[in-house]
Amino acid sequence: TEDASLSLSPVQDATPESILAALALNTIACILLLSLYEILRRLIPSVYSQRLVNEKRALTRHPNLRVAMAGNKDAKEEADEGMTCSMPSCRADSFLEWVLPVYQTPWSTIRELAGLDAYFYLRYIRMCLKLTLVSSFWAMVILCPVYASGGGGQSGCYYFSMANVLPGNKFRVWVPTIFQWCFSLYISFCIRAELSHYVELRQQFLGGLDEVKDTKSRNYRSPDAVLSGISSDNSSDTDREIRQHRYSLLIEKVPVALRSNVALYSYFDQLFPGQVHSASIAMNVPDLDQMSARRLRVCRRLEKSVSFFR
């Protein structure tokens, strides 16, 4: 084992020069990407600045339109056509002028425009950023001084790590242990808060509360009429379709005798009289699909021939 011990080499510490070089490289890449985005935002606004294009179109069609800027109460006036824009306006006049309006955009607007998936994805990124900032701040305030005074004789970045703490110094070993417990509790608290918010919004989505508010604002039928099955003159097919998917079920392994819309509807209507809206069977019939595609090709050729010879 002496040969094996002689072949071992101590770990190489990251030098401050290498850290500064990595920081400079990432800073240059960030500046280049932001500059490229600003150039493309002006050259191709329909892709990289779609909101600005829509605002120009809206102002062209509706001269009385007022854009409600975030934090500006005077700008939040109703237009003559009853049209307002609840999201901050992003102009393409100066470099990075869009950063502040995007930061000031309320979470309710993001949820309404982007949907729940993108909304919770952004909240997850925000939670990770919050955990990183909090842990970094308290690590520099508490852990770095404790490690730096450990007396282990380390240098470089290891001077601010547990490697610089002597094995017999129990006090400095307990400090990171308590810090880890406190930080774990903080992580659990943040995750629990986000999960509670997710469950609340998910229940609202599945329960249709947002659609009920939208129905009332557009003078559709009331939620009591929807639940009781009472139709009214001002109800719309779109409203019924939006609500129907909340009460739809996917059934698999259907028996052969019930593999038709009428048979499946009759079966469940006997189990739940008067409570079944409809039944639809999606069957796997590749031969019929091929014949249908062939019929479509023949119809296209026939129409082309008729139009040509006429």
Side-chain angles (χ1 to χ4, degrees):
T1 58
E2 293 182 358
D3 297 337
S5 61
L6 293 176
S7 61
L8 296 178
S9 58
V11 63
Q12 297 294 328
D13 190 11
T15 61
E17 290 78 10
S18 61
I19 297 177
L20 292 177
L23 181 61
L25 180 61
N26 287 276
T27 303
I28 294 174
C30 179
I31 295 175
L32 291 177
L33 291 176
L34 288 176
S35 302
L36 179 61
Y37 173 74
E38 288 293 330
I39 295 174
L40 293 177
R41 192 162 71 96
R42 288 164 172 79
L43 295 179
I44 318 176
S46 61
V47 177
Y48 295 95
S49 187
Q50 182 64 35
R51 181 169 182 79
L52 183 59
V53 176
N54 293 335
E55 286 182 5
K56 291 181 179 178
R57 292 176 180 173
L59 290 174
T60 303
R61 296 177 181 177
H62 306 279
N64 295 324
L65 181 63
R66 298 292 182 268
V67 179
M69 299 296 292
N72 187 0
K73 297 182 179 180
D74 297 333
K76 294 181 179 179
E77 299 176 354
E78 294 291 339
D80 295 339
E81 281 80 4
M83 299 178 62
T84 56
C85 185
S86 61
M87 199 171 175
S89 178
C90 301
R91 302 299 179 185
D93 298 330
S94 62
F95 185 75
L96 298 180
E97 192 176 3
W98 51 270
V99 174
L100 184 59
V102 170
Y103 178 77
Q104 293 177 344
T105 302
W107 284 101
S108 58
T109 304
I110 297 176
R111 183 183 64 185
E112 180 180 356
L113 298 179
L116 286 180
D117 292 338
Y119 172 76
F120 281 110
Y121 178 68
L122 293 176
R123 287 187 66 94
Y124 170 75
I125 295 177
R126 188 191 70 163
M127 184 188 69
C128 294
L129 177 62
K130 182 166 59 176
L131 294 177
T132 303
L133 293 178
V134 170
S135 62
S136 300
F137 173 78
W138 289 110
M140 289 187 294
V141 172
I142 298 177
L143 295 182
C144 287
V146 172
Y147 294 154
S149 58
Q154 299 292 331
S155 60
C157 295
Y158 287 108
Y159 182 74
F160 299 99
S161 67
M162 188 175 286
N164 195 41
V165 178
L166 296 176
N169 197 336
K170 297 181 179 180
F171 168 75
R172 286 182 172 81
V173 175
W174 273 105
V175 171
T177 303
I178 298 175
F179 180 86
Q180 179 181 1
W181 275 99
C182 295
F183 187 63
S184 299
L185 293 176
Y186 177 72
I187 294 177
S188 301
F189 171 78
C190 293
I191 295 177
R192 180 180 177 83
E194 290 296 327
L195 287 178
S196 300
H197 184 58
Y198 168 79
V199 171
E200 179 183 358
L201 294 184
R202 187 65 177 173
Q203 289 178 350
Q204 291 181 6
F205 175 78
L206 295 177
L209 296 181
D210 296 336
E211 294 179 357
V212 169
K213 296 178 182 178
D214 183 69
T215 300
K216 291 182 178 179
S217 64
R218 299 186 182 184
N219 295 324
Y220 290 159
R221 56 180 179 172
S222 63
D224 295 335
V226 174
L227 296 177
S228 60
I230 301 175
S231 60
S232 58
D233 296 336
N234 57 354
S235 63
S236 63
D237 294 337
T238 303
D239 181 41
R240 288 193 294 269
E241 291 176 359
I242 291 176
R243 299 178 186 281
Q244 184 56 41
H245 76 274
R246 304 190 184 280
Y247 305 97
S248 300
L249 299 176
L250 176 63
I251 302 174
E252 298 179 348
K253 299 181 180 179
V254 180
V256 178
L258 299 178
R259 292 181 181 178
S260 67
N261 298 341
V262 177
L264 189 63
Y265 175 82
S266 301
Y267 175 78
F268 281 100
D269 189 61
Q270 292 178 359
L271 297 178
F272 309 98
Q275 301 182 26
V276 181
H277 177 272
S278 60
S280 178
I281 291 290
M283 302 188 66
N284 184 17
V285 283
D287 296 336
L288 181 60
D289 293 338
Q290 294 178 1
M291 293 179 64
S292 177
R294 182 181 177 183
R295 176 184 176 276
L296 182 60
R297 291 195 300 268
V298 172
C299 290
R300 290 177 178 175
R301 293 176 181 175
L302 180 60
E303 292 175 356
K304 183 178 179 180
S305 301
V306 171
S307 61
F308 179 77
F309 287 104
R310 279 185 180 181

